[in-house]
Amino acid sequence: MPLAVKQESEYDEALLWIVLFLFGIGLVMVYSASIAVADTRKGFPPYYLVRQSAYILTGAVAGYGAFHVPMRIWQKYAPYIFLFMAFMLFLVLVPGIGRAANGSTRWIPLGVAHFQPSEFMKLCVVLYAADYTVRKAAYMNNLSKGFLPMLFVILFTGMLLLREPDFGAFAVITVITMAALFLGGMNGRLFTALLILAAVGFTLLVLSKAYRMDRVVGFMNPWADPQGKGYQLSHALVAIGRGEWLGVGLGASVEKLLYLPEAQSDFLFAVIGEELGFVGIAVVIGLFAAFVIRSFMIGRTAASMEQYFSALVAQGVGVWIGVQAIVNLGVNMGVLPTKGLTLPMLSYGGSGIVANCLALAVLFRVDYENRQLMKGRTF
């Protein structure tokens, strides 16, 4: 009797489990972190849990549709998708259309929810940067033809984002673009010059606005003004410190009881540290690290089959999720200045969750096409 041959899976099972664990941890922790504020402000303790579940469901449906779009179609329409989202960023700034909150105008009201274009722009930049790098592959060593056009595009996008202002999204988008150019084979000297230019530019941006400088000063010593500039960070550090090795227990956080602002979104990681301790923190960091590794492995497989656009998209998604996670973790632990960046796949937020789901769908599509190409199928 012949031995049964194990059929190769149609998708990356390891990546799927990583994603499911991240979304699952996020759903549990959003409920735990938000229950007090939801009860106080909404009179309905599961308020944020219900909405987060709806966002994940919406993202899953949108992702299912995005998964069935071939990568050649994403590449063909990448510039148009980017232009459309740039128009949406402009629309946010139009009086009477954009909605302001906490000193920023980043949202377009849609009735039951708010649309935040900057979250979707991250995916658009991944697609556009990948397409640009592939189209301009022959000019990656040329300053005027390879580097300057992309610099203009990023500066234009940055101008719109800084008008909101959304400095964090601009930083992530800049890193995504630089990663695409580097992975696409940009000349080493040009890339070094780009790094220096970016460092100088971001330094000038920080110095140009008093509130940005205040955040840097507050991040360096939050205890100097724990009731003012250092309020969020000091409470985040207290939460993480209370967690020690194993945490105080799921649901037992004290800081989430209206002490730590934005506990369900920007500072969800601090609540994870308090309730689940170092072990919980290590699990979350390990999952993100595994996600980035799998993304780059998928990209490398695509590159080995000369699917260069797909390769850069897969790696771009890994860079986006990885960098945003690092920034959020750094903010929560006092390593980086306070920024309004959520923890991908975990933090509460409709636009962020749906954008993450779309990015994951495209990543799974790259992996799917890799596996089909290995079987001889073409797209």
Side-chain angles (χ1 to χ4, degrees):
M1 182 177 180
L3 294 175
V5 179
K6 183 180 179 182
Q7 187 175 5
E8 186 179 354
S9 176
E10 296 289 329
Y11 56 89
D12 190 323
E13 295 181 0
L15 180 62
L16 179 63
W17 279 110
I18 291 167
V19 169
L20 290 176
F21 273 121
L22 284 169
F23 274 116
I25 292 172
L27 202 57
V28 171
M29 294 311 303
V30 163
Y31 180 49
S32 177
S34 67
I35 191 167
V37 67
D39 189 35
T40 302
R41 298 177 184 175
K42 308 294 182 180
F44 181 55
Y47 176 82
Y48 290 100
L49 172 65
V50 172
R51 291 180 69 87
Q52 185 77 343
S53 300
Y55 295 148
I56 292 175
L57 180 60
T58 302
V61 172
Y64 180 79
F67 174 80
H68 287 84
V69 177
M71 293 307 297
R72 59 180 175 79
I73 301 298
W74 285 114
Q75 183 175 9
K76 180 180 178 180
Y77 290 101
Y80 305 105
I81 296 171
F82 176 83
L83 288 174
F84 173 74
M85 200 51 60
F87 173 72
M88 297 304 292
L89 286 177
F90 171 77
L91 209 60
V92 168
L93 302 174
V94 176
I97 296 180
R99 177 182 179 272
N102 299 323
S104 299
T105 306
R106 304 177 184 175
W107 302 269
I108 297 176
L110 296 177
V112 296
H114 297 119
F115 174 65
Q116 187 175 351
S118 59
E119 289 292 341
F120 294 90
M121 178 53 90
K122 296 168 188 174
L123 175 58
C124 295
V125 167
V126 168
L127 296 170
Y128 179 76
D131 173 60
Y132 177 88
T133 304
V134 171
R135 283 189 290 109
K136 299 286 186 176
Y139 302 109
M140 281 295 103
N141 295 328
N142 188 297
L143 178 65
S144 61
K145 294 182 178 180
F147 171 64
L148 291 181
M150 194 63 183
L151 176 63
F152 172 77
V153 169
I154 294 307
L155 289 177
F156 173 72
T157 306
M159 179 188 70
L160 294 174
L161 289 169
L162 293 175
R163 290 288 298 170
E164 296 186 3
D166 195 343
F167 187 78
F170 179 41
V172 172
I173 284 172
T174 301
V175 172
I176 291 170
T177 306
M178 292 172 63
L181 293 174
F182 175 75
L183 294 168
M186 172 172 272
N187 178 280
R189 286 178 295 178
L190 276 180
F191 187 74
T192 301
L194 176 60
L195 287 177
I196 296 172
L197 182 64
V200 172
F202 278 107
T203 301
L204 292 175
L205 284 173
V206 169
L207 295 175
S208 66
K209 295 291 183 179
Y211 78 90
R212 292 180 189 143
M213 195 63 195
D214 288 343
R215 285 186 174 183
V216 172
V217 174
F219 129 77
M220 290 180 174
N221 186 13
W223 309 110
D225 186 14
Q227 296 302 317
K229 299 174 185 176
Y231 183 81
Q232 286 180 305
L233 179 53
S234 60
H235 280 278
L237 293 174
V238 168
I240 294 174
R242 289 190 73 243
E244 298 185 351
W245 287 98
L246 298 177
V248 296
L250 185 62
S253 168
V254 171
E255 286 297 323
K256 71 181 182 183
L257 302 178
L258 307 183
Y259 293 106
L260 179 62
E262 305 299 333
Q264 72 277 8
S265 55
D266 294 2
F267 287 91
L268 181 69
F269 184 74
V271 179
I272 293 174
E274 185 178 6
E275 296 191 347
L276 304 181
F278 176 79
V279 173
I281 287 176
V283 168
V284 170
I285 293 176
L287 287 170
F288 276 114
F291 176 86
V292 173
I293 291 171
R294 295 304 302 174
S295 299
F296 271 75
M297 290 178 66
I298 290 171
R300 187 174 64 179
T301 301
S304 69
M305 293 184 289
E306 300 183 352
Q307 304 298 308
Y308 299 116
F309 172 76
S310 296
L312 289 173
V313 168
Q315 293 167 346
V317 170
V319 169
W320 162 21
I321 299 298
V323 168
Q324 186 163 327
I326 289 172
V327 172
N328 182 272
L329 269 57
V331 167
N332 277 255
M333 293 188 288
V335 180
L336 295 172
T338 303
K339 297 305 309 164
L341 285 174
T342 57
L343 193 56
M345 292 180 269
L346 278 83
S347 294
Y348 172 79
S351 294
I353 289 294
V354 175
N356 289 164
C357 288
L358 288 173
L360 292 171
V362 175
L363 178 60
F364 275 107
R365 178 69 196 190
V366 174
D367 176 66
Y368 172 76
E369 291 194 6
N370 286 347
R371 293 167 186 264
Q372 295 302 311
L373 287 170
M374 290 177 182
K375 297 176 181 179
R377 181 181 174 187
T378 58
F379 291 92

